[in-house]
Structures are given as structure tokens and as C-alpha cells.
Amino acid sequence: MDEPLATLAFIAVLGVTSMLAFSARWFHRRDVLPHLEGWALGDRRFGTGVTWFLLGGSIFTAYTFAAVPGLAYGTGALGFFPLAYTVILCPVLFVLLPRLWTAARETGAVTVADYVRARYDSPSLMLVVALTGVLATMPYIALQLLGVRAVLAAGGLYPEGLAGDLALTAVFAVLAGATFRSGLRVPAVISLVKGVLVFGAAFGVVAVVVGRLGGFAAVFDGADRELRSGTGGGLLLDPALHPAFATLALGSALALPMYPHVLTAAFAAESPDALRRSTVAMPAWTFVLGLFGLLGVAALAAGVVAPVGNAEVAVPLLVRELLPELASGAVFGALAVGALVPAAVMSVAVAALFTRNVYAEFFLPHATPKHEVRVARWVSLLAKVAALAFVFGLREQDAINLQLLGGIWILQTFPAVALGLFTGWWHRSALLAGWAAGMVVGTVLAVAEGFTSVVAIGPVLIYVAVVALAVNLAVAAMLTPVFAGRAEVAP
């Protein structure tokens, strides 16, 4: 850490955020006994404003804010597919989340797997939805830490060796302690800080960087020349990649609402109207994500040289080069806070899924509400410890590969979760068979191609998760009449 002012600003941002995290304990309802709905969903009392900050803070993660400009820096136009999918995501959230909230409230569901159990009367389908959510979320938590570590290392704010690992562990320990006590209220409070910091950092950094580089025209011209000189392609998308771009956007937009942390944030809203109003305003987060993507283009124009295979550090290197120390330290602090919100919500969501849909369902059906909260607290702590083990015990590429598989897996829960909101036609056994088929096909395709996001179907490149979802739906659609017919003729 050879930049004392940047370090001071970074520590100040994290210090204020940590104090606010522990202040969440003051928002407890002390007139009721501990129960999982209170710990995991904040008693479903979050209004439109808090829901907007919490949903946005959960969806737009620190890794996203590092990976999107890294993709733009490394691949040009293809790297902007997250902007397309977050645009598609907004109407998907508007349609799905209020319906899911209503169904969850009517059935007393704390998790999405609770809703599936009540909707289809199927413990097996509930279990696979819960376990898929846990498996898909764990590497996502680790990626938040990996993203922060890479960003801070590029900014000169991450000491090498054991000192840096201990610093990262200490920051996460503060989060773990606060979440253990107060559950979802902690990320709800921190999300307000994240929103202010991320929006302020995006507008401030773009203004400074674009001004220093001579304006938007100069930024795009310089980036286009840099890409053409290095790879032969420019900023425009190759027509051969149009199907890949479109399916990546569509598949990601359908998968993201299925993640447990997104649904946990949604179930915590006070009403369906609060969810609708917050999703209508969600494009503001997409706009900020676009500004971060623009910074990846600016890094190309500025001639920033990122290490091979680490394009996500291009923007931190740009910030370190062009911004004053205090400002750069505050920006890196904002990105670190950006990791705390989704990591906390993810750990709460994983804990609720395991406690309600595995432990209480199959091992201790008569667990008291207080016992459920106690188990969930310890599971959330173990989830954070496991995420740290991912970071320190695996190569970064391993975590990225697991997250790629997680995106494929979580999309396979879409039929069971979403389709039942609109029709009762689908049979629970057919949905279970479709899920299994989609999981196998998606995993085999991704691994066989070397952990790739897209595969060639004939001459067309398509997102693996979309191919797997198509198989999933086809199997479920073919088997539903079969199982329904058997049920009708059964004595």
C-alpha cells in the first residue's frame, strides 16, 4: 500500500459501512419471538425505496461492476450483453416478482422452495430447487471476494501474501458478525450506502476519465483502433456472434430472478406494489452498469495494459492512473462495499433454503421457530467461511467455471418456479424429469467444451443454459400428459 491517501479513504468508507452494518440491530422487532421470516426477510416490511436499493444491490454485484468493463475491454461489443440482459430483466422482474410475492405470502413461504412445495405438493421438487439454489449461489459468493481482491490488488490497496488475505478475512468477518445477529436487515442498511457510493463513483469517474481523454468521440475512436490493432475486430459486434449475444442476454435475464438472493430480497418487500414500483425504477442501475462498461472502453482508449487473462483489472488500473489518491481510494471502497451487499443476501438466502427445505423438512420436521433461526444463523456463517475457502483454496478460474455452471443450473429451476404462477397444466413429476435432463445436458455441454458459455448448434453459437432450458421444457412438456394420464386412471 504505497498510496497513503487512497488507503485512508478506502478504510474510511469501509469503517463507516461497518458501523452502519451493526446499527441494523436497532431495527429488530423486540415484541415478537425470533422466527425465520423475521431474520431472513426482515419481517417483510421493506418499502419501495429500501426494496429498490436492496434488489439493485443484490443483482448488480461488485463482480458485475468489474466483469462488465473487463468484457468490454477484452472483447468489445460482445462484452455489453449484460446491458441487454438487464434491460430484458426489468419487465421479467415486473411480471414475476409480485406474483411470486403474493404466492409466497398466501402459502407462508419463506423461500422459493417453500412455494414450490406448496404449489406442487412435491417434497422432491422442493428439494431439487433448494439444492440447485445453494449450489449455484456458493461460487457466486466467492466471486464477490475474488472480484474485490483483484480490483484492490490492481489499485495497490491489497497487500501481497498473508497480510492481504487477513485484511480480506477481517472485512468479511465484520459482515459475518453483523449478519449472524440481524439477518437481512444488515444488507438492507448497507445497500443504501452501496447505492450512493456506486452511483456517485460511476458518474464522477466517467466525467473525469472522458474529460481527460478528450471526449466521447475520442474515447470510442481510440478504443476501436486499439481493438483492431490487437484482434482484427472493432467495437461493432460481428454478425456471427448475434445469436450468442441474444441468447446470452435472454438466458441471463430468465436465470437471474431464479437466484435465491434475488428472491429473498423480493420476498422481503412489504407488498406487491412496492415490488412493482422498485422494478420500474430498476433501469437506473442498468444505466450505471453502462457507465462502468464505458470505462472498459475508456481503458482501451487510454492504452491501459491489463495482465493476460485479467481484463477485469483494466478499469482499476485506469482509475489509479487518472484519479487523485483520495478519489481512487473512495472508488475502490465503493466497489468493496458493492461486494458486501450481495454476499450478505446470498448467505442469508442459502441459510434459509438449507434450514427450511433440507434440515427442517427431512431431519427435524418439528423444529421450533427459534431453533430454525439458530440453525440459519450458523449456516449463514458457514456459507461465508466456505466462500473464503473457495477464494484461498481454489484458482480464480475454478470459481469462474463453477459460477458458469451455476448460471446454467439455476435456469433449470425456471419451469418449476415460474410456470406454475400462470398455469396448473404442468405435472410435478414431469417438471422433475425436465430439471434432471436440463442439468445433465447443460453440465455436459459446458464441461465438454472446456467450460464455455456458448456452444455451436449447427452453424449457430447459442448460450449453453438456453439449450439446456429448451431440453428441460421439451421433456417436461412431453411427460406431463403421460403422468397426468396415469393419475387419471389410477384407482
Side-chain angles (χ1 to χ4, degrees), residues 113-114 116-118 120-132 357-358 361-362 413 416 427-433 435-436:
D114 283 345
V116 170
R117 172 75 160 87
Y120 297 102
D121 190 24
S122 173
S124 298
L125 196 56
M126 174 207 68
L127 181 62
V128 300
V129 168
L131 292 181
T132 303
N357 308 119
V358 179
E361 179 74 21
F362 297 101
T413 66
H427 194 278
R428 57 180 179 268
S429 298
L431 289 171
L432 189 61
W435 167 86

Side-chain angles (χ1 to χ4, degrees), residues 201-216 218-219 291-292 294-302 304 314-324 331:
F203 283 101
V205 174
V206 166
V208 171
V209 169
V210 173
R212 293 282 297 273
L213 294 179
F216 289 102
V219 167
L291 293 180
F292 274 91
L294 176 61
L295 290 175
V297 177
L300 279 169
V304 171
V315 169
L317 291 173
L318 179 70
V319 168
R320 186 180 183 184
E321 179 180 333
L322 296 185
L323 264 64
V331 170

Side-chain angles (χ1 to χ4, degrees), residues 5-64:
L5 290 179
T7 302
L8 182 62
F10 174 76
I11 292 174
V13 170
L14 286 187
V16 171
T17 303
S18 299
M19 288 189 292
L20 287 173
F22 279 102
S23 75
R25 65 188 299 268
W26 298 107
F27 296 95
H28 282 216
R29 291 180 63 184
R30 303 179 188 281
D31 58 333
V32 296
L33 294 174
H35 58 291
L36 195 59
E37 186 177 22
W39 183 83
L41 300 181
D43 292 309
R44 302 185 200 261
R45 294 198 305 167
F46 297 155
T48 301
V50 174
T51 300
W52 181 78
F53 277 106
L54 185 59
L55 264 179
S58 302
I59 293 171
F60 295 85
T61 68
Y63 184 76
T64 300

Side-chain angles (χ1 to χ4, degrees), residues 106-316:
E106 290 175 349
T107 58
V110 174
T111 69
V112 66
D114 283 345
Y115 153 72
V116 170
R117 172 75 160 87
R119 176 67 182 80
Y120 297 102
D121 190 24
S122 173
S124 298
L125 196 56
M126 174 207 68
L127 181 62
V128 300
V129 168
L131 292 181
T132 303
V134 172
L135 289 174
T137 302
M138 287 305 301
Y140 215 161
I141 303 175
L143 275 185
Q144 304 311 303
L145 302 181
L146 287 168
V148 169
R149 184 169 69 175
V151 166
L152 298 184
L157 298 176
Y158 193 90
E160 294 183 2
L162 182 61
D165 293 342
L166 289 176
L168 184 63
T169 302
V171 171
F172 218 46
V174 171
L175 175 69
T179 308
F180 186 89
R181 168 68 178 171
S182 302
L184 193 67
R185 294 177 182 87
V186 172
V189 171
I190 302 177
S191 68
L192 305 179
V193 182
K194 173 179 177 174
V196 172
L197 289 175
V198 168
F199 274 70
F203 283 101
V205 174
V206 166
V208 171
V209 169
V210 173
R212 293 282 297 273
L213 294 179
F216 289 102
V219 167
F220 283 103
D221 287 343
D224 189 67
R225 286 194 301 271
E226 188 70 23
L227 281 173
R228 290 183 184 279
S229 65
T231 64
L235 281 175
L236 297 181
L237 186 65
D238 186 331
L241 296 177
H242 287 177
F245 187 98
T247 54
L248 279 166
L250 177 61
S252 300
L254 296 179
L256 196 63
M258 299 299 103
Y259 273 102
H261 63 285
V262 176
L263 293 174
T264 294
F267 287 175
E270 66 180 3
S271 68
D273 286 338
L275 274 173
R276 291 188 186 95
R277 288 190 292 266
S278 63
T279 54
V280 166
M282 201 59 64
W285 286 94
T286 299
F287 181 75
V288 168
L289 183 61
L291 293 180
F292 274 91
L294 176 61
L295 290 175
V297 177
L300 279 169
V304 171
V305 179
V308 176
N310 289 286
E312 68 273 8
V313 305
V315 169

Side-chain angles (χ1 to χ4, degrees), residues 81-95 245-254 257 283 286:
F81 86 85
L83 296 182
Y85 100 66
T86 51
V87 170
I88 300 170
L89 176 67
C90 294
V92 173
L93 294 178
F94 183 85
V95 172
F245 187 98
T247 54
L248 279 166
L250 177 61
S252 300
L254 296 179
T286 299

